[in-house]
Amino acid sequence: MNRVIWVFDDVEPLKKAYTERLQSLKIIGRQGYDVVSLRADEFQREMGLLKERQQRIRKGKTWPDDFLKLDEVAIFIIDYDLLRSEGFLTGETVAYLTRCFSRCGLILGLNQYGKNSYDLTLRGHLESYADWNVGSDQFDNQGLWGDKFSQEAKAVEKDGIFRPWHWPNLPAYFESLQKRIDDVFKHSDQPICSVLGMEQIAALLPKRVGQFITGRTRSSPAKVTFTRFVTESGNGLKSRYKRATPEMIARIGAARVSKWLERLVLPSQEILIDAPHLVVRYPSLLKGHRTVRTWNLTTNMKPHGELPLDHEKIEKFRFKRDYWLSRPVWFWEKVSSSQGIKEVREPWTRESSPFVFCEDGSVFRDRKECKEFLADVDSADVRRYVLKSDRQVKYVPANRFLSS
Amino acid sequence: MNEDPANQFDLIFKTLEWLCRKTMAMMEDPGYLEIYREVFGIRKPAVPEKLLDLYEKSKSKLRVKGDGCNVYLPPLWKKSNIVPLLWIRCNFAKESPELRIYAEVYSRASGEIRGVGFRFETPESSADEMAEPNSNESPSSGANSSRHDYWHVQLTNDTVHNGPRWVPDHVPCMPVAAHCPVSLVLYFLRSFYEKETIAKIVTYANIPGICLQSLHTLGLM
């Protein structure tokens, strides 16, 4: 049976257009997804049931045996402005209710942060309960829906493409969701950092990074369990719920902690580091000819073993619970201390990388073709690059660009 | 190595930026705060944005008079009571790029914050133009500059708070292991930090390894 992608906007013509645009993407059908437009009356019914579930949980009860269709949905795409819906809902409220009180897979929030923008801060809107936030001009970008945007084609393409590096391969990210949920379910009363294998670096987390996990709890990031995160931090369930069900804890914990890893921990490239940023720092880890094509092979979302890297030197530093992130990553602190890496052992022989990595196109390019900007991440490595190949995309805040 | 002055200029600012951000991030930890906070009150710290502003304004001319743009170095270790900072003057538009790194090192001694200053410099020629901030003697005077026509470091008390009343600011003029402005910055940093830290800075700023050759030759890397 095909999996379902639901699309909802309270403006009918827009909803129809969004649905059709997504249906026209062959890659979605090939991966076994049906794109369905959610009717307004169905939407109201689903919201009503979600609120009922919320109230029951507040009273310490469990979910009723209702039939919530959202429970069967793989990916729910919801617009932010829902001015015509009953109850003054916003897409964010819907995302919160869906995340916390349903079994829906992934939530894609539309237009909360612009219809076609690129956020130069690289900070990932953790306040939003949508798993990913994109604009309505971007959500049918093929690069978001599969790994079919050919790296080879990218390498030779003159004009480049817009495909932000922080985007996941959405279907693959959905496929791995159940593993994340199972992980939390089995380890709900263990510290998050221990479960993720990050206990040794928990103390090194910058305040802004650690405080998402601790939230309102009076604990250190190293000690917060999934249960406490979901029920007490304020970044899982918003109010204090003492009786969240184990399933809720697993689902909310999996979604929110994964977003934390993807959008707050990883972008700094200081705690975890992904392949393209790693080869910029240590070009010797790149295997094969050092053409831009080889560099670009590090930017696909394939499993770590398929990346052109010298795996022997870094395998023991790899983040082993790899289903928690949409791409292979390594522990930077350990990599940067490894004497097996030439640049660490003999820094005086270091060759600087000939290309820079473009965060908005997921490609390496000559620096002269790119624009430098300052990301607002918790790292000393804040100077990053964009290609700006698509002139329709609005890069914000514009004052983060360095003058050329 | 890319000897392009603009590239050298860029790499130096990236290095300073790294130092500045690292220090500010470490200041989140209350364990580091006290003595740094005291010195911050005396020598106002540059925040990364100020440093970037200076970079943006100067990169077309490749010339910087960074007085007042005090870049604090990260604590040497957690309980260290030494507070190092630097500011720079440079002119990379000249045929032989000039760089002066003014290093000030503070600590608490006899109940008050006291400092000592050093100046790490590119070779001086008789045509050097950069005047010292408060010096009575001009280093550009022929006899002196001919003595300083190599990469060197010397004492200074030009802008140091509560430093010695007098220091011999032209001798000794100690040779340093540098061969380009970036390598002078790395040499300066190596005099404070272990080689592993220098390797990390080189990585972050994407500095070619050849800038470390002088340090490596002396067994310092």
Side-chain angles (χ1 to χ4, degrees):
Chain A
M1 197 173 81
N2 272 6
R3 285 156 294 195
V4 175
I5 296 173
W6 257 7
V7 180
F8 186 73
D9 189 316
D10 57 344
V11 181
E12 284 296 328
L14 288 178
K15 182 173 68 181
K16 187 166 179 276
Y18 295 160
T19 307
E20 286 172 0
R21 277 167 54 194
L22 216 49
Q23 284 169 337
S24 70
L25 282 187
K26 288 179 183 167
I27 191 171
I28 290 183
R30 276 204 304 269
Q31 296 189 68
Y33 288 91
D34 287 334
V35 183
V36 177
S37 189
L38 176 63
R39 289 199 324 265
D41 60 320
E42 280 182 305
F43 174 75
Q44 291 301 342
R45 175 188 174 273
E46 296 289 303
M47 290 305 107
L49 289 174
L50 282 176
K51 283 179 185 169
E52 267 181 49
R53 286 187 177 185
Q54 182 185 32
Q55 283 166 9
R56 284 181 64 93
I57 292 296
R58 270 200 184 156
K59 290 174 186 167
K61 298 177 182 172
T62 55
W63 288 354
D65 291 327
D66 52 10
F67 182 67
L68 186 76
K69 288 183 181 172
L70 258 175
D71 285 344
E72 309 295 328
V73 170
I75 301 173
F76 184 24
I77 300 174
I78 178 79
D79 184 55
Y80 181 70
D81 269 340
L82 300 176
L83 296 173
R84 299 182 193 186
S85 66
E86 288 176 24
F88 305 106
L89 283 176
T90 65
E92 187 50 45
T93 313
V94 175
Y96 173 74
L97 291 171
T98 305
R99 171 52 56 229
C100 296
F101 304 103
S102 85
R103 298 184 178 94
C104 176
L106 300 179
I107 304 163
L108 197 62
L110 284 192
N111 299 330
Q112 188 167 352
Y113 304 99
K115 286 187 175 177
N116 196 8
S117 61
Y118 182 82
D119 182 4
L120 292 168
T121 67
L122 299 187
R123 297 177 59 74
H125 306 302
L126 259 81
E127 70 281 3
S128 170
Y129 279 70
D131 297 290
W132 296 92
N133 305 90
V134 293
S136 55
D137 290 356
Q138 303 170 340
F139 79 102
D140 57 340
N141 183 316
Q142 292 205 43
L144 183 61
W145 293 95
D147 198 21
K148 297 290 182 187
F149 79 122
S150 160
Q151 302 300 314
E152 288 176 39
K154 275 196 309 179
V156 294
E157 199 175 12
K158 280 185 181 171
D159 298 328
I161 55 167
F162 179 76
R163 198 283 174 200
W165 175 239
H166 68 259
W167 283 0
N169 168 348
L170 213 52
Y173 191 64
F174 171 71
E175 296 301 330
S176 59
L177 172 64
Q178 193 55 47
K179 285 187 180 174
R180 296 192 286 277
I181 294 170
D182 291 346
D183 229 5
V184 183
F185 197 83
K186 283 181 202 157
H187 308 288
S188 58
D189 290 321
Q190 289 178 28
I192 294 170
C193 289
S194 302
V195 175
L196 298 176
M198 295 172 69
E199 60 270 53
Q200 289 179 351
I201 55 167
L204 302 176
L205 295 176
K207 269 201 167 50
R208 197 159 55 165
V209 175
Q211 73 192 15
F212 179 78
I213 294 298
T214 54
R216 295 193 294 240
T217 67
R218 290 183 184 173
S219 187
S220 71
K223 291 181 179 169
V224 177
T225 63
F226 282 105
T227 300
R228 288 193 70 196
F229 168 72
V230 170
T231 57
E232 293 179 42
S233 73
N235 291 317
L237 287 162
K238 283 184 176 168
S239 305
R240 284 182 180 244
Y241 288 77
K242 293 189 177 170
R243 291 187 195 136
T245 65
E247 184 183 5
M248 285 172 68
I249 288 166
R251 289 184 172 278
I252 300 167
R256 301 296 285 155
V257 171
S258 180
K259 188 166 186 180
W260 172 68
L261 287 169
E262 290 271 3
R263 305 297 283 121
L264 193 59
V265 176
L266 183 58
S268 77
Q269 305 291 334
E270 188 95 6
I271 301 155
L272 299 173
I273 188 166
D274 51 41
H277 293 92
L278 182 60
V279 294
V280 167
R281 292 181 189 173
Y282 297 145
S284 73
L285 290 175
L286 192 64
K287 270 191 168 173
H289 291 291
R290 304 273 177 86
T291 60
V292 73
R293 183 177 171 275
T294 322
W295 287 74
N296 278 326
L297 289 174
T298 64
T299 70
N300 62 45
M301 299 275 178
K302 290 180 179 170
H304 69 100
E306 295 178 39
L307 301 176
L309 300 174
D310 194 342
H311 293 287
E312 276 183 25
K313 293 187 174 142
I314 51 174
E315 176 55 20
K316 60 183 170 184
F317 313 124
R318 190 167 61 81
F319 185 87
K320 298 294 192 304
R321 278 183 145 87
D322 49 7
Y323 44 87
W324 275 94
L325 286 122
S326 59
R327 65 212 70 202
V329 296
W330 292 263
F331 287 102
W332 167 244
E333 190 66 24
K334 292 177 182 172
V335 173
S336 66
S337 308
S338 171
Q339 291 298 310
I341 296 170
K342 185 169 169 268
E343 287 87 349
V344 178
R345 190 178 62 245
E346 299 167 357
W348 56 92
T349 64
R350 181 178 193 281
E351 291 171 33
S352 44
S353 49
F355 309 108
V356 295
F357 181 62
C358 304
E359 306 279 349
D360 62 337
S362 308
V363 286
F364 281 98
R365 282 297 165 90
D366 189 288
R367 183 176 167 173
K368 287 174 190 155
E369 296 175 51
C370 310
K371 209 156 167 47
E372 196 171 11
F373 71 98
L374 290 174
D376 183 20
V377 291
D378 294 283
S379 167
D381 184 16
V382 296
R383 288 215 206 177
R384 307 286 174 90
Y385 297 87
V386 284
L387 196 52
K388 283 196 86 179
S389 58
D390 185 342
R391 292 187 179 176
Q392 304 299 318
V393 178
K394 196 173 177 187
Y395 288 76
V396 290
N399 66 358
R400 299 206 77 83
F401 278 121
L402 269 70
S403 59
S404 49
Chain B
M1 184 187 62
N2 191 347
E3 294 278 8
D4 171 20
N7 190 42
Q8 292 264 321
F9 187 82
D10 190 46
L11 292 175
I12 287 172
F13 265 90
K14 275 187 177 169
T15 305
L16 299 187
E17 218 180 294
W18 185 88
L19 293 165
C20 193
R21 289 185 190 282
K22 196 78 184 169
T23 305
M24 292 305 164
M26 291 174 90
M27 289 305 112
E28 282 188 356
D29 185 335
Y32 288 116
L33 270 175
E34 198 177 331
I35 185 142
Y36 267 78
R37 192 167 273 174
E38 279 188 79
V39 184
F40 284 175
I42 297 164
R43 301 285 281 145
K44 191 180 174 189
V47 292
E49 288 71 25
K50 180 172 179 177
L51 195 60
L52 273 164
D53 198 39
L54 183 65
Y55 168 72
E56 295 270 276
K57 284 177 182 161
S58 327
K59 68 181 178 186
S60 59
K61 292 182 179 171
L62 301 179
R63 191 172 180 155
V64 166
K65 195 177 171 190
D67 314 33
C69 192
N70 302 314
V71 177
Y72 278 75
L73 272 56
L76 306 183
W77 58 88
K78 188 151 187 171
K79 298 291 177 189
S80 168
N81 60 354
I82 301 283
V83 181
L85 66 88
L86 74 91
W87 52 278
I88 64 168
R89 283 185 173 188
C90 70
N91 185 352
F92 285 12
K94 295 182 78 174
E95 195 175 336
S96 300
E98 289 177 352
L99 171 65
R100 289 183 186 166
I101 305 167
Y102 292 84
E104 299 175 19
V105 182
Y106 291 98
S107 191
R108 176 170 284 286
S110 308
E112 56 184 335
I113 298 293
R114 292 176 175 274
V116 180
F118 303 89
R119 213 167 57 221
F120 291 71
E121 296 183 324
T122 50
E124 291 164 5
S125 69
S126 55
D128 279 345
E129 289 169 1
M130 288 194 297
E132 300 308 308
N134 302 313
S135 180
N136 294 326
E137 291 181 68
S138 164
S140 306
S141 61
N144 192 53
S145 43
S146 68
R147 282 203 302 270
H148 293 188
D149 58 357
Y150 52 93
W151 302 83
H152 62 275
V153 58
Q154 59 203 80
L155 285 166
T156 181
N157 63 352
D158 290 338
T159 58
V160 178
H161 170 82
N162 213 359
R165 283 187 187 167
W166 177 86
V167 294
D169 63 357
H170 290 103
V171 286
C173 178
M174 294 165 276
V176 304
H179 59 275
C180 66
V182 174
S183 70
L184 183 66
V185 173
L186 295 174
Y187 180 92
F188 157 78
L189 291 172
R190 183 67 181 90
S191 65
F192 288 94
Y193 299 105
E194 294 173 350
K195 56 187 175 185
E196 289 77 11
T197 306
I198 308 302
K200 279 187 183 172
I201 294 171
V202 165
T203 301
Y204 276 109
N206 202 11
I207 295 173
I210 199 161
C211 291
L212 290 170
Q213 283 292 353
S214 304
L215 284 172
H216 177 55
T217 305
L218 287 184
L220 296 170
M221 283 302 292

